[in-house]
Amino acid sequence: MVREDGKRNFALRESDGSEPSVFSGNTPRQAAKKAARRLSDVGESEESAPRVEIRLREKGTDKVHIYEAWAWEETSPEDSPDWMPQQITKGNVSKKGIEHLEEV
């Protein structure tokens, strides 16, 4: 379902079917990139980052968007604001497909 601001909500699905987190974005990819930044297994660089499958169910629908996600740490940019930490986590995703749930 689309909110008034145009964003949609996507619930991160665990393997047991539970949905502990919700990420919002204009597109499923935007929400998946937010979820990727919160992965517990973070690499030292994008190339060495371990790949993990994540599943995001679009709230109000039976669609489950499946992504390969990875995250890594890097030094913050030189022109970053004072409140930003020296090391930041970046994430990326690659779409694997969409599944439809039997029940919502």
Side-chain angles (χ1 to χ4, degrees):
M1 294 180 60
V2 179
R3 299 185 329 200
E4 284 184 23
D5 61 2
K7 295 191 182 209
R8 295 149 49 191
N9 291 322
F10 299 89
L12 180 65
R13 286 183 66 87
E14 299 291 337
S15 56
D16 63 0
S18 64
E19 297 177 345
S21 304
V22 177
F23 298 93
S24 62
N26 292 325
T27 64
R29 179 179 168 83
Q30 187 178 32
K33 287 180 77 170
K34 289 179 182 181
R37 289 187 53 222
R38 287 164 179 76
L39 291 173
S40 59
D41 200 4
V42 178
E44 293 181 11
S45 68
E46 184 172 9
E47 294 78 26
S48 69
R51 275 33 180 187
V52 176
E53 182 179 276
I54 60 172
R55 294 170 171 264
L56 295 172
R57 181 181 65 82
E58 188 169 353
K59 294 284 205 159
T61 72
D62 66 346
K63 289 184 188 177
V64 177
H65 301 268
I66 305 165
Y67 288 90
E68 180 181 53
W70 59 96
W72 68 97
E73 284 191 345
E74 62 181 47
T75 306
S76 61
E78 288 185 22
D79 62 347
S80 63
D82 293 337
W83 53 263
M84 187 179 282
Q86 290 296 317
Q87 287 293 109
I88 58 173
T89 303
K90 297 195 108 182
N92 206 351
V93 295
S94 175
K95 186 121 184 195
K96 293 174 78 176
I98 296 176
E99 286 181 358
H100 293 272
L101 295 175
E102 300 281 325
E103 56 188 66
V104 177

